[in-house]
Amino acid sequence: MNADLPIPPPLSPAVPVFFISDSTGISAETMGNALLLQFPSVPFERRLMPFVRTVEEAREVRRDLDAAMDSGASPLVFLTVVDEAVREELRATRAPVIDFVSGHLAQLEERLGVAGDHAPARLHGVGDSRRYNRRMQAVEFAIEHDDGQSVRAIEKADVVLIGPSRCGKTPTSMYLALMHGIFVANYPLVDEDLAGEVLPASIARIADRCFGLLTSPERLSTVRGERRPDSRYASLEQTRWELSRARRVYDVHGVGFVDSSNRSVEEMSTLILQSLALRRSTP
Amino acid sequence: MNADLPIPPPLSPAVPVFFISDSTGISAETMGNALLLQFPSVPFERRLMPFVRTVEEAREVRRDLDAAMDSGASPLVFLTVVDEAVREELRATRAPVIDFVSGHLAQLEERLGVAGDHAPARLHGVGDSRRYNRRMQAVEFAIEHDDGQSVRAIEKADVVLIGPSRCGKTPTSMYLALMHGIFVANYPLVDEDLAGEVLPASIARIADRCFGLLTSPERLSTVRGERRPDSRYASLEQTRWELSRARRVYDVHGVGFVDSSNRSVEEMSTLILQSLALRRSTP
C-alpha cells in the first residue's frame, strides 16, 4: 500500500428525500429538485410517493417517514397535498417537511378573496380534455413528420424545425408536441440545400414557420461519430461546413435559430416558443 | 326579447398571472398552476417570463408588473429566482408575489446546515449529461420501436407497452422516454394474439418487461371512429371483444396493466414506473 495516497474523505451518507403528493408528484419533484440543485455538495437519495389520497394512506407514509427519522438519517420531505386532513396527518411526522401548498395557498386565497377547493386537482391529469387531446394528436403529427419522412399534412405544422442531421430536431419536436401540444414537423437540411442556400422545396412556402437549430462543429462531430465512426459525415471538416452553411440559410431566409450545443430540449423549446409567440396560455 | 331569460352574470376579467424565472420557468409554472387549479371559478391569463438573470432585466420586468398593478388588474406573480439581488429587485414590485424560493431555501439551508449556491442552476438544463444523453437516446429508441415497427434492439427495452390499437401506447412511450430516459418499445395486440391469448412471438420471451394498456370500449370506439368512421374496427362490438381479450392476455401471462380511459400520460407513466420500480432516482 502506498503511504502517499491521500486518505479519501469519509463518504457522507445520502440524505433521504421523500416527494409526497396526492397526484403524480410531478410538481413536488420539479420544485423540490429545483431547490435541491442549490446544494450540489450534498448527496440525496430520492423517493417518490404519489397518489397519497386518504388519511389511512397518509398514516402509513408517516410511519415510513418517522422510521427514516429514527434511523438517524435526517430525511427531507417535500409535500404537495391539498386535502387538509391528509396533509395534517403527513405534517405530524417528526421529519422536517417543506410544504409547497399550505402557506402559498393561504396567500392566494387572501389575494383572490376566494376559498380554494382543497381537493386534489389533477394538474397532470387529463384536465382540459381539448388541450389534452391536442397534445396526443401533436405527438402523432410529430412522429409522422419526423425527419422529413412525410409532408402529408405539413400545412398543419405550427413549427418546422430545420437543421443539419443530428442537431437535436427530433427530441425537441417531441417535447414541444407532448408538453405543449404544438404541431411540429422537422426537416433535415442536406448538402444540396446547404450548397444552394435554399430551403427544401416542400417547406419553402412556410419559411415563416421554420426555426433553425445549430450546434458546435465539435459536438456535432462527436454525436455523428457515435453512429458512423471515422466517416466523412462525422468529420470536423464536414460539420464545420454544414453548420456555417446552415447559419447562412437561416440568415438568407430570415429563419430564427437557436444553438443546441449547450442547451436542453426544455431550454430550446422555451426559446422557440418565446420566439414564435406560440406559448399556449392555458396550463 | 324574452323577459324570462336569466341575466348572465358580469364576465369577471381574467386575473393576470406572471411566471418569472431565471431559467425556463417550468418549475414556477408547474407549481403555480398546481395552486391555481384550486380556484376553478377564477379565470386566469398566464404569461411566462423566463431567463430573467440580471438586475437590469429584473427592473424591466418589475416595471411591467407595476404597470399591470396600476391598471387595476390585481396581478399575481409566481417567482423562482435564486440570485438574491435579482429576486429582491423583482420582489420590490407592488404586485403580490408568491416566492417559491426564499422561504423554502432558507428552511433547507437550516436543515442541511449548508449554504445554498444562490446561483441559477439549470434543473431543466443539460445538467447531468449522462442522464440527458440517455433521455435523447430513449426518444430515438421509442421512435424506432413505435407500434411494433422494429424489434431490432428490442432486448434493450426497459418496458414494452402492449395493448389494442389506439389505447395510448405511443404518447405514453414518448413521455417515459423523453422525461425519464426509459427505453420503451410498444407493440400492438392484434386479433390473432387476442384470439389465441398469446403475446406476439417477438416479445414473448420478455413478458416480464411487458406492461398492458386498457381503456373503455366506448372511449376506444370514439377514438377509432375519428380515424375510420363506421368501420368494424371502431365498432363497440369489436372494441369490447378486443379489450376483454387483452385483459385475458394480461392475466394469463402475468402482465401488469393500467386503464388509460381516464388517465393522462403523466399519470399512466407514474403508475408504470411505480409498478416496474423503474423510477430513476436522479433528478
Side-chain angles (χ1 to χ4, degrees):
Chain A
M1 208 178 142
N2 188 335
D4 292 338
L5 275 180
I7 298 161
L11 278 177
S12 53
V15 174
V17 176
F18 295 85
F19 299 99
I20 302 174
S21 169
D22 49 24
S23 300
T24 60
I26 293 172
S27 308
E29 285 189 309
T30 304
M31 198 58 236
N33 279 320
L35 292 170
L36 294 182
L37 270 189
Q38 292 295 312
F39 303 91
S41 66
V42 181
F44 296 106
E45 200 181 302
R46 297 166 173 84
R47 188 160 160 209
L48 173 69
M49 295 173 148
F51 304 118
V52 179
R53 291 279 169 92
T54 65
V55 173
E56 289 66 39
E57 286 164 347
R59 197 166 296 143
E60 252 179 68
V61 170
R62 195 183 111 186
R63 260 182 232 125
D64 287 350
L65 301 178
D66 286 339
M69 196 69 187
D70 291 340
S71 75
S74 267
L76 290 173
V77 180
F78 290 101
L79 206 61
T80 50
V81 169
V82 290
D83 181 274
E84 273 170 73
V86 177
R87 192 168 65 225
E88 287 318 310
E89 181 62 39
L90 289 161
R91 287 184 59 135
T93 174
R94 293 191 302 282
V97 173
I98 315 268
D99 183 344
F100 286 131
V101 171
S102 319
H104 300 308
L105 189 54
Q107 213 182 337
L108 278 175
E109 288 178 326
E110 196 197 316
R111 287 298 171 180
L112 294 169
V114 178
D117 276 358
H118 293 264
R122 298 158 62 201
L123 175 61
H124 296 98
V126 177
D128 172 351
S129 69
R130 222 182 47 173
R131 181 178 145 83
Y132 184 77
N133 290 339
R134 195 180 151 85
R135 288 173 57 202
M136 300 304 110
Q137 287 159 9
V139 170
E140 272 180 49
F141 184 91
I143 290 178
E144 184 183 341
H145 295 84
D146 182 42
D147 201 28
Q149 275 177 63
S150 162
V151 289
R152 191 184 60 81
I154 192 86
E155 71 287 350
K156 281 193 193 159
D158 296 310
V159 191
V160 183
L161 296 184
I162 59 176
S165 154
R166 312 290 296 158
C167 277
K169 297 186 295 295
T170 295
T172 310
S173 302
M174 287 302 151
Y175 188 86
L176 284 165
L178 187 55
M179 305 310 279
H180 295 282
I182 309 281
F183 278 47
V184 192
N186 75 77
Y187 220 91
L189 292 178
V190 297
D191 284 6
E192 296 159 67
D193 309 317
L194 295 167
E197 292 179 5
V198 293
L199 293 173
S202 43
I203 56 168
R205 71 203 139 80
I206 49 171
D208 56 328
R209 280 179 267 165
C210 287
F211 201 91
L213 297 191
L214 287 178
T215 182
S216 71
E218 293 73 22
R219 191 171 152 75
L220 189 55
S221 172
T222 306
V223 172
R224 288 181 171 188
E226 286 163 13
R227 277 217 175 161
R228 296 196 221 156
D230 306 316
S231 61
R232 181 171 162 277
Y233 168 74
S235 70
L236 257 181
E237 195 194 344
Q238 176 70 13
T239 59
R240 251 189 223 120
W241 180 81
E242 286 189 34
L243 289 165
S244 70
R245 300 300 291 191
R247 170 69 200 261
R248 181 97 189 107
V249 170
Y250 304 153
D251 285 346
V252 168
H253 298 276
V255 169
F257 61 90
V258 62
D259 184 338
S260 70
S261 58
N262 191 30
R263 288 203 175 90
S264 68
V265 289
E266 285 89 343
E267 290 169 329
M268 284 191 281
S269 297
T270 303
L271 291 168
I272 293 167
L273 291 173
Q274 291 289 114
S275 158
L276 296 171
L278 264 169
R279 190 87 195 177
R280 298 284 184 262
S281 61
T282 43
Chain B
M1 210 178 141
N2 187 336
D4 291 339
L5 274 180
I7 297 160
L11 278 177
S12 53
V15 175
V17 176
F18 295 85
F19 299 99
I20 303 175
S21 168
D22 49 24
S23 299
T24 60
I26 293 172
S27 308
E29 286 189 308
T30 304
M31 199 58 236
N33 279 320
L35 292 171
L36 293 183
L37 270 189
Q38 292 294 312
F39 303 91
S41 65
V42 181
F44 296 106
E45 198 181 304
R46 297 163 173 84
R47 187 159 161 210
L48 173 68
M49 295 171 149
F51 304 119
V52 179
R53 292 277 170 93
T54 66
V55 173
E56 290 67 40
E57 287 164 346
R59 197 165 296 143
E60 251 178 68
V61 169
R62 196 184 110 186
R63 259 181 232 127
D64 288 348
L65 301 179
D66 286 340
M69 197 69 188
D70 292 339
S71 75
S74 266
L76 290 173
V77 179
F78 291 101
L79 205 61
T80 50
V81 170
V82 290
D83 181 273
E84 274 172 71
V86 176
R87 191 167 66 225
E88 286 318 310
E89 180 63 39
L90 290 162
R91 286 184 60 136
T93 174
R94 293 192 301 280
V97 173
I98 315 270
D99 182 345
F100 286 130
V101 172
S102 319
H104 300 307
L105 189 54
Q107 213 182 336
L108 279 175
E109 288 178 327
E110 197 197 316
R111 289 295 171 181
L112 294 168
V114 178
D117 277 359
H118 294 264
R122 296 159 62 199
L123 174 61
H124 296 98
V126 176
D128 172 350
S129 69
R130 222 183 47 174
R131 182 177 143 84
Y132 185 76
N133 290 339
R134 196 180 150 86
R135 288 173 56 202
M136 300 305 110
Q137 287 158 8
V139 170
E140 271 179 51
F141 185 92
I143 290 178
E144 184 184 340
H145 295 84
D146 183 42
D147 201 28
Q149 276 175 63
S150 163
V151 288
R152 192 185 59 83
I154 193 86
E155 71 286 349
K156 283 194 193 157
D158 296 310
V159 191
V160 183
L161 295 183
I162 58 177
S165 155
R166 313 289 299 159
C167 278
K169 296 185 296 296
T170 295
T172 309
S173 302
M174 288 300 151
Y175 188 86
L176 285 165
L178 187 54
M179 305 310 279
H180 295 282
I182 309 282
F183 277 47
V184 192
N186 74 77
Y187 220 91
L189 292 178
V190 298
D191 283 7
E192 294 160 68
D193 309 317
L194 296 167
E197 292 178 5
V198 293
L199 292 173
S202 42
I203 56 168
R205 69 202 140 80
I206 48 171
D208 56 328
R209 281 179 265 164
C210 287
F211 202 91
L213 297 192
L214 287 177
T215 182
S216 70
E218 293 72 23
R219 189 170 154 75
L220 188 56
S221 172
T222 306
V223 172
R224 288 182 170 185
E226 285 163 14
R227 278 217 175 159
R228 296 197 221 156
D230 305 316
S231 60
R232 179 170 163 276
Y233 168 75
S235 70
L236 257 180
E237 195 194 344
Q238 176 69 12
T239 59
R240 252 190 221 118
W241 181 80
E242 287 188 36
L243 290 165
S244 70
R245 300 299 292 192
R247 170 68 201 261
R248 182 98 187 104
V249 171
Y250 305 153
D251 285 346
V252 168
H253 299 274
V255 169
F257 61 89
V258 62
D259 185 336
S260 69
S261 59
N262 191 30
R263 287 202 176 90
S264 67
V265 289
E266 285 90 344
E267 290 169 329
M268 285 191 281
S269 298
T270 303
L271 292 168
I272 292 166
L273 291 173
Q274 291 290 114
S275 158
L276 297 170
L278 264 168
R279 189 88 194 176
R280 299 286 183 262
S281 61
T282 43

